[in-house]
Amino acid sequence: MDIKGGFCLKGRKAMVTGSGQGLGKAFALALAGAGADVSIVDINMDKAQLTASEIVLTGAKAVAIKADISDPGESRKAVEETIRSLGRLDIAVNNAGVSPPISDSVDITAETWDKTMGVNLRGLFFCAQAEAKAMMPNKYGKIINIASICGHIVWPKFQAVYSISKAGVIHLTRCLAVEWAPHGIRVNSISPGVTMTPDLFPDVPPVFLRKAPLGKTANVRDIAGAVLYLSSPESDFMVGQDMVLDGGYTLL
Ligand SMILES: NC(=O)c1ccc[n+]([C@@H]2O[C@H](COP(=O)([O-])OP(=O)(O)OC[C@H]3O[C@@H](n4cnc5c(N)ncnc54)[C@H](O)[C@@H]3O)[C@@H](O)[C@H]2O)c1
């Protein structure tokens, strides 16, 4: 995939969680296309290695790291390994996320709650913590959290736990942004609308298309440009904001 924006990230060192496939993979390829070296962090090492080798084929540097980001110890190690391999951490995209099948809240189990929150919110928090600690000595860094339109609106098919986790990501982003801005670390988030990725539940696009003003779902390129912008110095005055890229869905 050849994703290039107008933003130059030459010499920057980036880490993307959940970059073995889907949006995370597109973000990693886009960052490499803009000149960054990238660490590909995923629970699935085969997929991480595939993304890394696609990047290496383009002439950029990439390293694949296996980590389950729901374990804070593994996230910390992933950051350490990124720094060992790339030398520093300037940009971190906290993208890894899971979505449970549609279910009425009366049927949600504690296991589903814990798994979803454990990756999407608790896991993301401890990734951000490890990333910020690594960035603080450099007095500069960019942390980009991947939320969702479900953190803003109520999805017409029942998705309470996923939606709460993403609403949490949006507000966590604001809290961390205020805490870490004095250290030169900009924390922002992105809320994609429905984006065509390999494991997207087939019943999701028709619900989105029922009222999407643009009449289409997103592809990963539609979202990757925002990651490039938030990774680049051009967005240095943006602090704690959520960029909604949804073709206008949440306006209605
Ligand atoms: N696709 C969409 O329509 C859409 C819309 C809004 C938000 N999002 C969000 O964007 C992100 C990526 O979505 P996607 O559709 O590309 O997902 P995906 O399921 O296609 O890919 C997720 C990747 O994360 C990895 N992963 C899962 N759990 C992990 C863990 N515990 N530790 C490390 N890696 C883990 C998976 O192996 C996979 O490679 C998610 O946070 C998702 O909630 C997606």
Side-chain angles (χ1 to χ4, degrees):
M1 207 183 312
D2 172 36
I3 302 175
K4 270 199 186 120
F7 302 108
C8 178
L9 300 174
K10 212 164 176 44
R12 301 282 176 177
K13 315 294 181 185
M15 166 178 147
V16 185
T17 69
S19 42
Q21 70 173 40
L23 278 161
K25 179 174 182 173
F27 299 155
L29 284 159
L31 289 163
D37 297 336
V38 191
S39 101
I40 310 300
V41 177
D42 205 287
I43 197 168
N44 184 322
M45 188 56 165
D46 291 340
K47 287 184 178 171
Q49 275 167 338
L50 268 176
T51 303
S53 46
E54 268 188 53
I55 289 176
V56 169
L57 277 178
T58 70
K61 183 166 179 178
V63 56
I65 297 171
K66 179 175 166 48
D68 175 353
I69 64 102
S70 67
D71 177 342
E74 292 202 19
S75 306
R76 210 167 37 243
K77 278 194 203 137
V79 169
E80 286 166 7
E81 217 173 310
T82 299
I83 293 170
R84 230 185 344 268
S85 303
L86 306 182
R88 213 175 55 238
L89 181 66
D90 305 308
I91 300 160
V93 186
N94 294 317
N95 162 81
V98 290
S99 42
I102 303 296
S103 170
D104 190 308
S105 286
V106 294
D107 298 321
I108 294 288
T109 61
E111 195 185 8
T112 298
W113 175 278
D114 290 345
K115 163 102 197 240
T116 309
M117 290 295 180
V119 178
N120 294 6
L121 191 53
R122 181 178 180 272
L124 183 145
F125 172 81
F126 284 105
C127 281
Q129 184 190 69
E131 294 152 5
K133 279 184 182 169
M135 290 169 176
M136 279 177 188
N138 311 329
K139 297 182 171 26
Y140 188 82
K142 299 281 207 172
I143 296 178
I144 301 155
N145 298 325
I146 305 304
S148 166
I149 54 169
C150 292
H152 289 273
I153 48 103
V154 176
W155 187 245
K157 301 275 172 183
F158 309 131
Q159 266 291 18
V161 185
Y162 176 78
S163 302
I164 295 160
S165 75
K166 293 301 187 176
V169 169
I170 294 164
H171 200 61
L172 175 64
T173 298
R174 298 186 189 114
C175 297
L176 300 180
V178 170
E179 280 191 46
W180 297 339
H183 297 276
I185 301 167
R186 278 72 166 180
V187 189
N188 291 288
S189 60
I190 296 172
S191 282
V194 170
T195 308
M196 299 315 290
T197 52
D199 292 339
L200 189 69
F201 298 130
D203 53 334
V204 171
V207 175
F208 184 78
L209 291 171
R210 227 176 282 151
K211 69 162 202 168
L214 278 184
K216 59 177 187 176
T217 54
N219 63 54
V220 293
R221 285 166 186 267
D222 294 320
I223 316 296
V227 165
L228 294 182
Y229 170 63
L230 291 177
S231 299
S232 76
E234 278 80 359
S235 64
D236 273 356
F237 208 57
M238 187 178 260
V239 171
Q241 300 301 309
D242 184 59
M243 288 180 74
V244 178
L245 284 89
D246 68 347
Y249 184 88
T250 53
L251 297 175
L252 297 173

